[in-house]
Amino acid sequence: SVSIKCQSTEPKTNGNILDNASNLLTNFLSGGSLGSMPTAEGSVSDLFGKPLFLSLYDWFLEHGGIYKLAFGPKAFVVISDPIIARHVLRENAFSYDKGVLAEILEPIMGKGLIPADLDTWKLRRRAITPAFHKLYLEAMVKVFSDCSEKMILKSEKLIREKETSSGEDTIELDLEAEFSSLALDIIGLSVFNYDFGSVTKESPVIKAVYGTLFEAEHRSTFYFPYWNFPPARWIVPRQRKFQSDLKIINDCLDGLIQNAKETRQETDVEKLQERDYTNLKDASLLRFLVDMRGVDIDDRQLRDDLMTMLIAGHETTAAVLTWAVFLLSQNPEKIRKAQAEIDAVLGQGPPTYESMKKLEYIRLIVVEVLRLFPQPPLLIRRTLKPETLPGGHKGEKEGHKVPKGTDIFISVYNLHRSPYFWDNPHDFEPERFLRTKESNGIEGWAGFDPSRSPGALYPNEIIADFAFLPFGGGPRKCIGDQFALMESTVALAMLFQKFDVELRGTPESVELVSGATIHAKNGMWCKLKRRSK
Ligand code: HEM
């Protein structure tokens, strides 16, 4: 097997031209000049036996909050420390871009927020942020519950059919696939007022969306961007299929954009935010972005924005719901506690924005799921100029110099399961977010304190000073965080309101795979039955 190894010290130089050349070569082979950072050693086979983020965890326990990892000539810096993560994401955010992630996503999302260069990002982030205003989010709770209702009705129908055909009252469903359809329907309606109807049917557009998502996943696990070579588009069958999927989605989005533009009613942002969203025929983000006065955007940019939100907001939420079921099904007493809360707050009715605020335990379940299964497990950055990263939480004063062009992984998974910051880090304990902890005297880290974010419905990166990063942090933090949290709360509450859920096999038989998000390799097969009265 090929060895992953790199030097832990800067090669020495004495000015001799041959030595310099040899140092350059050593540098190149060892993944570049990355100072005295600890170095992960392993074999490339480690990378293929299990998802990369799991190997990065083992190396984190061995090497600490910052280390470098080299694949032959290519090196990455892996950060698992809140102080260094905060530096990269918030304090020095504009010294980095999305690096390899942008290269992967640009052909799909164009200049959408995730891969966008800084200039485009600044303009579009300023324009899109106001569209996620309070009345919009409140109105979306109805979309979340209407779509979840369809999934519930479908499951109830399957149970009735099973009862009629075999007398059994339990069905087996791949809930990962069901949540994926649910999240797609929700994102379609809320972002561009388009009903995919994927919970109940299949269509060419839905197939194309899944094809594109599949390709995005494939690209994020493939180390060599072969798709950037123009002939690949025509020669490689999966690339040909990808191009045709992309065309189907783009045609669909272009049609919706055209429609929205033809019915445009230009209005000031403040006025748009005061509309009666619960009674609007079209409350979508697209409507808002097109109607907003003073922002003239071309169709291409609008399409990139919509495509980005379609992809960013779909798999992530579906994954949260999938892993929620996985974790809850191993903790029946927590299901009972959740159901008691659901019964007390909702009875048999659907959640509303107001009642959702009272579903505290469900909200904590959602964030605890995001702690254990962050989506994505790694954040990716590349330095735009030479940088000095600070020492980590162990109080190292000395920073680490990294050259321009250094690729960085911030391992959210490692941060969220760090034994330095969490008691029983691998245990599923939603209640942990209610506890207050001292900072343990760690220099530069403000510690864990829920009171630091008063009024927030859900715990966030501020309460744990970047040891908890479910939506990233700093200026490029997720724009749909509240949307996604409420969506997950509603869907989960409605599922457990009606059903008891168990895993079909053992938890150990559920195999992890990861691309942009963490998936169950063979789906999350569960047994569903109506709750006993
Ligand atoms: C960015 C997670 C749902 C839209 C991000 C980032 C994370 C994240 C970690 C930061 C990436 C980075 O710093 O590199 C999640 C999770 C979700 C979710 C876990 C669901 C549970 C959504 C939804 C939308 C959305 C529903 C839109 C409707 C975006 C966008 C960005 C982003 C546009 C880029 C923001 C920017 O660069 O300005 N998301 N997301 N996400 N997310 Fe989400």
Side-chain angles (χ1 to χ4, degrees):
S1 65
V2 184
S3 165
I4 303 173
K5 185 168 187 223
C6 99
Q7 292 193 206
S8 58
T9 49
E10 196 96 43
K12 285 196 196 75
T13 170
N14 62 8
N16 173 314
I17 194 162
L18 277 179
D19 278 352
N20 280 346
S22 112
N23 284 340
L24 271 177
L25 184 68
T26 314
N27 241 343
F28 176 71
L29 291 175
S30 66
S33 157
L34 288 173
S36 56
M37 221 175 269
T39 303
E41 289 180 36
S43 70
V44 165
S45 59
D46 289 346
L47 300 177
F48 296 106
K50 60 179 174 181
L52 175 64
F53 73 90
L54 291 180
S55 299
L56 297 188
Y57 187 75
D58 297 341
W59 288 319
F60 154 57
L61 296 182
E62 200 178 325
H63 299 288
I66 183 161
Y67 62 87
K68 63 182 166 181
L69 169 70
F71 306 90
K74 188 83 195 129
F76 296 88
V77 171
V78 181
I79 295 173
S80 317
D81 182 286
I83 297 171
I84 311 177
R86 194 182 62 196
H87 171 92
V88 174
L89 295 177
R90 190 172 71 192
E91 283 145 19
N92 240 6
F94 297 121
S95 301
Y96 304 86
D97 68 9
K98 297 281 179 92
V100 67
L101 184 75
E103 284 161 13
I104 290 169
L105 292 178
E106 199 271 337
I108 303 172
M109 298 181 180
K111 285 178 174 252
L113 282 182
I114 291 183
D117 59 275
L118 278 181
D119 288 340
T120 310
W121 173 82
K122 277 185 187 151
L123 282 176
R124 296 310 298 150
R125 177 88 190 197
R126 208 175 304 139
I128 297 172
T129 299
F132 283 91
H133 57 93
K134 186 164 174 286
L135 291 184
Y136 169 74
L137 291 174
E138 283 183 28
M140 287 307 109
V141 173
K142 175 93 171 65
V143 175
F144 306 154
S145 68
D146 285 352
C147 292
S148 303
E149 175 81 12
K150 285 189 186 141
M151 187 183 123
I152 303 250
L153 290 174
K154 176 181 154 186
S155 308
E156 282 175 339
K157 183 165 172 260
L158 290 172
I159 292 179
R160 277 197 307 277
E161 284 168 4
K162 185 88 184 270
E163 282 170 336
T164 317
S165 65
S166 69
E168 281 180 46
D169 62 354
T170 306
I171 52 166
E172 292 184 353
L173 267 187
D174 173 9
L175 282 182
E176 185 173 54
E178 296 302 319
F179 289 140
S180 191
S181 300
L182 171 65
L184 181 58
D185 287 355
I186 289 176
I187 210 80
L189 285 167
S190 52
V191 174
F192 33 82
N193 196 31
Y194 179 78
D195 190 0
F196 284 107
S198 61
V199 164
T200 48
K201 63 175 199 283
E202 275 219 327
S203 75
V205 182
I206 296 169
K207 281 193 190 154
V209 172
Y210 283 121
T212 309
L213 285 169
F214 186 67
E215 180 61 18
E217 291 281 328
H218 166 77
R219 290 183 177 193
S220 47
T221 49
F222 211 87
Y223 300 102
F224 171 66
Y226 66 87
W227 52 87
N228 284 343
F229 291 95
R233 285 175 172 216
W234 315 113
I235 298 166
V236 182
R238 67 176 299 143
Q239 295 310 319
R240 276 209 311 272
K241 165 146 186 344
F242 170 65
Q243 293 306 326
S244 90
D245 283 344
L246 215 49
K247 183 166 180 338
I248 294 176
I249 306 175
N250 284 342
D251 288 350
C252 172
L253 293 180
D254 286 344
L256 295 168
I257 290 168
Q258 246 9 80
N259 246 336
K261 283 198 154 172
E262 278 160 21
T263 51
R264 181 179 194 196
Q265 290 183 311
E266 214 184 335
T267 316
D268 292 334
V269 170
E270 296 73 26
K271 291 254 156 34
L272 284 174
Q273 291 180 333
E274 287 164 4
R275 283 176 174 176
D276 177 9
Y277 274 81
T278 39
N279 290 314
L280 271 185
K281 254 178 100 182
D282 176 1
S284 69
L285 287 179
L286 172 61
R287 183 77 271 159
F288 188 104
L289 294 175
V290 168
D291 287 352
M292 189 166 32
R293 191 187 305 283
V295 183
D296 226 7
I297 32 169
D298 61 60
D299 293 3
R300 180 64 200 256
Q301 180 64 54
L302 209 41
R303 191 176 80 192
D304 289 348
D305 292 336
L306 299 184
M307 181 69 118
T308 302
M309 285 191 267
L310 170 66
I311 293 182
H314 171 221
E315 283 298 279
T316 43
T317 317
V320 174
L321 294 169
T322 303
W323 294 107
V325 164
F326 175 77
L327 291 165
L328 280 167
S329 61
Q330 294 167 66
N331 290 276
E333 78 295 354
K334 291 190 171 31
I335 295 189
R336 280 192 291 279
K337 187 169 168 186
Q339 286 177 329
E341 180 181 84
I342 295 164
D343 294 348
V345 175
L346 302 179
Q348 288 301 306
T352 59
Y353 180 68
E354 285 310 313
S355 64
M356 207 199 53
K357 288 192 206 159
K358 298 188 193 133
L359 293 173
E360 184 188 49
Y361 194 58
I362 310 291
R363 295 204 312 272
L364 294 181
I365 288 174
V366 170
V367 280
E368 178 67 346
V369 171
L370 274 164
R371 187 184 68 81
L372 287 169
F373 290 95
Q375 313 290 347
L378 305 173
L379 301 181
I380 296 175
R381 293 292 188 274
R382 183 177 287 156
T383 47
L384 292 169
K385 58 183 182 54
E387 263 283 286
T388 304
L389 299 170
H393 77 274
K394 286 195 168 163
E396 308 98 331
K397 291 273 174 294
E398 193 125 342
H400 300 279
K401 284 192 170 25
V402 291
K404 178 180 169 185
T406 304
D407 284 308
I408 294 179
F409 289 154
I410 297 176
S411 173
V412 184
Y413 184 86
N414 292 358
L415 278 162
H416 285 189
R417 292 185 183 234
S418 170
Y420 302 115
F421 307 108
W422 304 94
D423 295 331
N424 309 319
H426 304 294
D427 289 359
F428 177 60
E429 279 179 42
E431 297 80 0
R432 70 171 71 241
F433 285 99
L434 298 172
R435 295 198 289 265
T436 311
K437 256 211 237 154
E438 292 306 313
S439 71
N440 305 323
I442 292 170
E443 199 177 329
W445 185 60
F448 185 94
D449 182 1
S451 71
R452 208 179 293 128
S453 196
L457 261 188
Y458 298 86
N460 55 33
E461 78 283 6
I462 308 295
I463 65 152
D465 196 19
F466 282 65
F468 180 58
L469 283 175
F471 294 97
R476 301 204 75 162
K477 182 180 170 179
C478 179
I479 207 167
D481 60 339
Q482 298 306 305
F483 178 105
L485 288 163
M486 298 201 301
E487 175 184 2
S488 308
T489 307
V490 168
L492 215 55
M494 290 181 73
L495 180 76
F496 284 96
Q497 182 182 38
K498 300 288 180 200
F499 301 110
D500 283 323
V501 183
E502 269 177 48
L503 278 187
R504 186 174 72 177
T506 59
E508 294 73 37
S509 65
V510 175
E511 212 179 313
L512 297 188
V513 280
S514 87
T517 55
I518 310 173
H519 289 280
K521 188 173 177 190
N522 300 310
M524 190 63 74
W525 282 90
C526 292
K527 293 180 184 173
L528 239 72
K529 74 176 196 187
R530 273 187 226 101
R531 273 179 69 192
S532 41
K533 290 275 176 320

